[in-house]
Amino acid sequence: MSRHRNIRNINLEDEMDDDYDDYDDYEDEEESERLYSYDRNSLSANYYTYLTDSGRNSPTPPAPPSSNTAPSYYPPVSTAAPTTGPASAVPSSIVRNLTAPSLQQQQKPSKNPNSRPSTPQAGSNLNTPKRTQQVKNLQTEAASPSGSRVSSEVDLSTFRRNQLQNIAKATSVPRKAVKPRAVEKDLINLIVVGHVDAGKSTLMGHLLHDLEVVDTRTIDKFRHEAARNGKASFAYAWVLDETEEERERGVTMDIGRTSFETTNHRIVLLDAPGHKDFISNMITGTSQADAAILVINATTGEFETGFENGGQTKEHALLLRSLGVTQLVVAVNKLDTVDWSMDRFEEIRNNLTVFLTRQAGFSKPKFVPVSGFTGENLVKRMDLRWYDGPCLVELIDSFKAQAPQSDGPLRIGISDVLKVSSNQLVVSGKIESGEVEKDDKVYIMPSVTAATVKECANNDGWEHCFAGDFILLTLQGTFEPESVQAGSVIVRSGPDTLIPAKKFEVRLVVFEIATPIIKGAKSELYSHSLCMPCTFTKLIHTINKSNGEVLKQRPRFLAKGSTAVVEIETEHDVAIEAFTSCRAFGRVTFRSGGNTIAAGIVEKVITPQ
Amino acid sequence: MKQFKRGIERDGSGFVVLMAEEAEDMWHIYNLIRVGDVIKASTIRKVVSETSTGTTSSQRVHTMLTVSVESIDFDPGAQELHLKGRNIEENDIVKLGAYHTIDLEPNRKFTLQKTEWDSIDLERLNLSLDPAQAADVAAVVLHEGLANVCLITPAMTLTRAKIDMTIPRKRKGFTSQHEKGLEKFYEAVCVAFMRHVNLQVVKCVIIASRGFVKDAFMQHLIAYADANGKKFTTDQKAKFMLTHSSSGFKHALKEVLETPQVAARLADTKAQGEVKALNQFLELMSTEPDRAFYGYNHVSRANQELAIETLLVADSLFRAQDIETRRKYVKLVESVREQNGKVHIFSSMHVSGEQLAQLTGCAAILRFPMPDLDDEPMSDDE
């Protein structure tokens, strides 16, 4: 119940007296809301670029709300300075530095009461009347939360709705300045995909060995054990395939995760399963990735099965693209089995280039011949008559890291729940935007559970984590069993919180499918780490792909290759939101019967009236 | 279902005396009874009597009541039907016109009287009286962390248990967490399975999953049964069938029922036939969209042209509260039958029926393409 108490007992005047910088967030928030507000024109333009050339890194019309010129890294705190008396004396450059919060703490006592923007009466200090208005609203709402409870509509989930409303109404937590890290190698999340038995795990295992992340003793041990089980060739794969079942069956089943460093980057390596049945796990991994290696099996006949006859090569590539991965290297593996034939390499390259650029929309995929088993061209360039390009590690090193993300609202997609007890929870996940630190108060959606961050750390042990990090969080609170699952999202209270919902308007592209999508069709919805059954409840209209015009209102069905806007309903509330609000949580993929049937973006969250 | 007496006149009015024997029958009864019907059954009424001094005492009295039904409520889990209505026959305890709710359960005799028994009703009644129809199939669909234990009867798919657990993913150096979680999950599914599935009764048990989960589960199940002194006999073991499904969600059952090996075993269950028909419709939708239509408007237009080869209707339409809607669909069905068309009435308790219900509840496969139908807009409620 603590979450209610928090909100009900809020005394807004006190709050603002204490924390006036909190207050200045409003302006920013308002600004940002306006920018984020739904704009069909810009979105449709945006969407097409999303499918054709630009990726999640490229600037797009609804740009982050950086009205201030400071690097978007830094919180809006810096702009607060000029409007509030004493603070204006402080050069903004100082405010921006890492001690910003503590500086303001010290200033507080010296503040002239008149200059405090604490009450609406002192609104003359505030530059916009709009803002005053908002404060008034907030005040009345904060004063009578019980009133709003009574007045709200009759619904089975009235309680829950109120809870959410209160969270949304709460003042947003002042953002802290992000401490720049000392290590400045950029982080890249790299995923390795490809058809089953293309040699993904072996390739990566060998690479890790050559980079001396895994020592020779371990490899020797694996080789020994593998040989004993009659699977000598799987020794390198065992580096990443750790569970007993994976080793026994010789198939990667879930994402394997490890990290290493190259000259310019820190790489978090995600080894995806290639088997058709585990594509859901592959999607989870891909949603966290910035770049990808597509591994192709060059053995005669194997490339063709993986590529043409219902193999996973195509599906994986399309998934990569629709999940926002734009940088791709194609590793043509097992070339040792065809005597490093140039013809084979070229044949594969030509076939794939057409597909990857035309259909999937990758701009310039690079190709590299390798052998995962014998280890050629991984870390050292090999002399090959017909290839003198960079080796695999060099190509990995040439990936560009994501620009540091804008300082948006906090969003952490939980990808795994490691430990649950009634008052403590250990989860891992990726921060998609915002930052988090020890002792932060957060909410877990869609279960609306309040929690306090007890510990948080990313791979390198940093305790203040921000967008892009893959982190391990220890949360404290009261947790019902199974209420927090992979696919839940951690947010903060405030107007920019994420309100879970069941109905969404989605703009999608239909993949190659046997049976068309009709109204009422069921499928599984995938977004970040989430997997949830959903139903297509309405087919709103189909769209002309090239110019974005509406082709047909309320079509009877969606055939393969078409683009359309549909309404979907999930079985339970899920934490996803409009693509314009948060890219990572606005991308959705639909699968049915073991095939990916469509991918798209959430245009609008339809909240119940 | 047992029938004791049938008195249906030429003009369609009349009564039947029935007794439900199992859950399946309750479903049929639910589909037979509509608002306005008269039901006569033994029931319990709380009677409050006031003495001369003003003290009141209440008693529960068994009595036979006849009510005209005003609202119907079906609880598939508890297999109960609650029929609320006004008393229309004078009784010692209950006044004329007083409200009463009759609870129908298996093994309770009752009389159902209708002013009009139409062809759909009679078909449903005869179907429910046919003993050969009864054959249950148990199915477990699962993936890592989610399992549905279902019973498939000819007219219903009942989810007996749903197990939803988070299993920690594998992590560098900590694979034991993952394996422990998986172990616990299998254990929970085994417990649910043994509790809800009676292997003496079911005809066949389908275990479906992606990857190797089904094999692992089967091993656990056999070990679990062994450990609990319920070792499977060879006969029972022969009933198990492992097959592929893409996920552990309930709608994956549709996929399971499609697979050829399952189809062969369940050749003539109703669920199977429905899935087949719906699939045919969907396939046609992609190959020859001018021969597959849905929505009442389109379908009835096609019917006027005598074009319907197969008609798919959801039974929820026949439970419609207003008589007009029902009559409309009954007419449609009768007219298609007259033209020698096939009619499938889908049970909305099956996965395929759920999907058809979403698809306006009414779809048709045509004998010949009617491209001009496509231009007609669909009506608003479709």
mmCIF file of all heavy atoms in Angstrom, chain A residues 465-481:
data_model
loop_
_atom_site.group_PDB
_atom_site.id
_atom_site.type_symbol
_atom_site.label_atom_id
_atom_site.label_comp_id
_atom_site.label_asym_id
_atom_site.label_seq_id
_atom_site.Cartn_x
_atom_site.Cartn_y
_atom_site.Cartn_z
ATOM 1 N N CYS A 465 23.736 3.324 -13.857
ATOM 2 C CA CYS A 465 23.625 2.778 -15.196
ATOM 3 C C CYS A 465 22.682 3.626 -16.027
ATOM 4 O O CYS A 465 21.719 4.177 -15.517
ATOM 5 C CB CYS A 465 23.080 1.364 -15.135
ATOM 6 S SG CYS A 465 24.025 0.330 -14.034
ATOM 7 N N PHE A 466 22.971 3.749 -17.293
ATOM 8 C CA PHE A 466 22.066 4.497 -18.155
ATOM 9 C C PHE A 466 21.838 3.809 -19.482
ATOM 10 O O PHE A 466 22.337 2.701 -19.707
ATOM 11 C CB PHE A 466 22.518 5.950 -18.315
ATOM 12 C CG PHE A 466 23.962 6.093 -18.728
ATOM 13 C CD1 PHE A 466 24.282 6.181 -20.061
ATOM 14 C CD2 PHE A 466 24.971 6.153 -17.765
ATOM 15 C CE1 PHE A 466 25.591 6.318 -20.450
ATOM 16 C CE2 PHE A 466 26.284 6.285 -18.153
ATOM 17 C CZ PHE A 466 26.606 6.362 -19.497
ATOM 18 N N ALA A 467 21.051 4.484 -20.293
ATOM 19 C CA ALA A 467 20.551 3.879 -21.526
ATOM 20 C C ALA A 467 21.617 3.098 -22.277
ATOM 21 O O ALA A 467 22.733 3.550 -22.444
ATOM 22 C CB ALA A 467 19.969 4.954 -22.420
ATOM 23 N N GLY A 468 21.240 1.915 -22.735
ATOM 24 C CA GLY A 468 22.144 1.090 -23.513
ATOM 25 C C GLY A 468 22.783 -0.011 -22.681
ATOM 26 O O GLY A 468 23.252 -0.994 -23.220
ATOM 27 N N ASP A 469 22.796 0.157 -21.370
ATOM 28 C CA ASP A 469 23.445 -0.841 -20.515
ATOM 29 C C ASP A 469 22.570 -2.071 -20.346
ATOM 30 O O ASP A 469 21.352 -1.978 -20.255
ATOM 31 C CB ASP A 469 23.700 -0.261 -19.118
ATOM 32 C CG ASP A 469 24.876 0.673 -19.116
ATOM 33 O OD1 ASP A 469 25.618 0.658 -20.113
ATOM 34 O OD2 ASP A 469 25.039 1.414 -18.137
ATOM 35 N N PHE A 470 23.234 -3.182 -20.259
ATOM 36 C CA PHE A 470 22.556 -4.408 -19.859
ATOM 37 C C PHE A 470 22.880 -4.613 -18.389
ATOM 38 O O PHE A 470 24.041 -4.715 -18.023
ATOM 39 C CB PHE A 470 23.044 -5.583 -20.697
ATOM 40 C CG PHE A 470 22.211 -6.794 -20.501
ATOM 41 C CD1 PHE A 470 21.027 -6.939 -21.214
ATOM 42 C CD2 PHE A 470 22.563 -7.769 -19.587
ATOM 43 C CE1 PHE A 470 20.226 -8.034 -21.019
ATOM 44 C CE2 PHE A 470 21.755 -8.868 -19.391
ATOM 45 C CZ PHE A 470 20.585 -8.999 -20.114
ATOM 46 N N ILE A 471 21.871 -4.593 -17.546
ATOM 47 C CA ILE A 471 22.159 -4.524 -16.115
ATOM 48 C C ILE A 471 21.514 -5.654 -15.311
ATOM 49 O O ILE A 471 20.604 -6.330 -15.768
ATOM 50 C CB ILE A 471 21.697 -3.181 -15.506
ATOM 51 C CG1 ILE A 471 20.195 -2.977 -15.734
ATOM 52 C CG2 ILE A 471 22.483 -2.048 -16.080
ATOM 53 C CD1 ILE A 471 19.610 -1.910 -14.869
ATOM 54 N N LEU A 472 22.001 -5.771 -14.119
ATOM 55 C CA LEU A 472 21.473 -6.711 -13.144
ATOM 56 C C LEU A 472 20.928 -5.860 -12.008
ATOM 57 O O LEU A 472 21.634 -5.010 -11.473
ATOM 58 C CB LEU A 472 22.619 -7.582 -12.647
ATOM 59 C CG LEU A 472 22.269 -8.944 -12.112
ATOM 60 C CD1 LEU A 472 21.664 -9.773 -13.217
ATOM 61 C CD2 LEU A 472 23.518 -9.611 -11.580
ATOM 62 N N LEU A 473 19.669 -6.059 -11.660
ATOM 63 C CA LEU A 473 19.032 -5.204 -10.660
ATOM 64 C C LEU A 473 18.547 -6.036 -9.493
ATOM 65 O O LEU A 473 17.973 -7.103 -9.680
ATOM 66 C CB LEU A 473 17.789 -4.555 -11.263
ATOM 67 C CG LEU A 473 17.873 -3.219 -11.981
ATOM 68 C CD1 LEU A 473 16.519 -2.903 -12.548
ATOM 69 C CD2 LEU A 473 18.299 -2.129 -11.034
ATOM 70 N N THR A 474 18.757 -5.536 -8.301
ATOM 71 C CA THR A 474 18.132 -6.149 -7.137
ATOM 72 C C THR A 474 17.082 -5.179 -6.650
ATOM 73 O O THR A 474 17.383 -4.017 -6.380
ATOM 74 C CB THR A 474 19.160 -6.412 -6.041
ATOM 75 O OG1 THR A 474 20.240 -7.115 -6.621
ATOM 76 C CG2 THR A 474 18.566 -7.223 -4.927
ATOM 77 N N LEU A 475 15.854 -5.630 -6.576
ATOM 78 C CA LEU A 475 14.755 -4.751 -6.200
ATOM 79 C C LEU A 475 14.171 -5.205 -4.882
ATOM 80 O O LEU A 475 14.116 -6.391 -4.580
ATOM 81 C CB LEU A 475 13.660 -4.787 -7.261
ATOM 82 C CG LEU A 475 14.053 -4.321 -8.660
ATOM 83 C CD1 LEU A 475 12.980 -4.693 -9.641
ATOM 84 C CD2 LEU A 475 14.286 -2.831 -8.655
ATOM 85 N N GLN A 476 13.710 -4.206 -4.127
ATOM 86 C CA GLN A 476 13.060 -4.554 -2.881
ATOM 87 C C GLN A 476 11.636 -4.037 -2.907
ATOM 88 O O GLN A 476 11.369 -2.957 -3.432
ATOM 89 C CB GLN A 476 13.828 -3.940 -1.727
ATOM 90 C CG GLN A 476 13.708 -4.757 -0.477
ATOM 91 C CD GLN A 476 14.929 -4.565 0.404
ATOM 92 O OE1 GLN A 476 15.370 -3.454 0.584
ATOM 93 N NE2 GLN A 476 15.447 -5.640 0.951
ATOM 94 N N GLY A 477 10.732 -4.772 -2.348
ATOM 95 C CA GLY A 477 9.327 -4.385 -2.355
ATOM 96 C C GLY A 477 8.508 -5.587 -1.965
ATOM 97 O O GLY A 477 9.036 -6.544 -1.392
ATOM 98 N N THR A 478 7.225 -5.538 -2.255
ATOM 99 C CA THR A 478 6.400 -6.700 -1.984
ATOM 100 C C THR A 478 5.992 -7.296 -3.314
ATOM 101 O O THR A 478 5.337 -6.640 -4.109
ATOM 102 C CB THR A 478 5.139 -6.300 -1.201
ATOM 103 O OG1 THR A 478 5.508 -5.299 -0.275
ATOM 104 C CG2 THR A 478 4.547 -7.475 -0.491
ATOM 105 N N PHE A 479 6.413 -8.507 -3.555
ATOM 106 C CA PHE A 479 6.159 -9.082 -4.865
ATOM 107 C C PHE A 479 5.277 -10.301 -4.758
ATOM 108 O O PHE A 479 5.515 -11.183 -3.941
ATOM 109 C CB PHE A 479 7.470 -9.488 -5.531
ATOM 110 C CG PHE A 479 8.435 -8.349 -5.648
ATOM 111 C CD1 PHE A 479 9.547 -8.278 -4.826
ATOM 112 C CD2 PHE A 479 8.203 -7.339 -6.555
ATOM 113 C CE1 PHE A 479 10.422 -7.227 -4.924
ATOM 114 C CE2 PHE A 479 9.075 -6.279 -6.656
ATOM 115 C CZ PHE A 479 10.189 -6.217 -5.841
ATOM 116 N N GLU A 480 4.271 -10.314 -5.587
ATOM 117 C CA GLU A 480 3.460 -11.515 -5.657
ATOM 118 C C GLU A 480 4.176 -12.489 -6.571
ATOM 119 O O GLU A 480 4.804 -12.080 -7.538
ATOM 120 C CB GLU A 480 2.091 -11.183 -6.232
ATOM 121 C CG GLU A 480 1.139 -10.721 -5.164
ATOM 122 C CD GLU A 480 -0.145 -10.224 -5.771
ATOM 123 O OE1 GLU A 480 -0.609 -10.835 -6.741
ATOM 124 O OE2 GLU A 480 -0.646 -9.214 -5.274
ATOM 125 N N PRO A 481 4.051 -13.775 -6.275
ATOM 126 C CA PRO A 481 4.752 -14.730 -7.129
ATOM 127 C C PRO A 481 4.259 -14.623 -8.566
ATOM 128 O O PRO A 481 3.077 -14.429 -8.815
ATOM 129 C CB PRO A 481 4.403 -16.083 -6.510
ATOM 130 C CG PRO A 481 3.284 -15.832 -5.571
ATOM 131 C CD PRO A 481 3.385 -14.423 -5.158
#
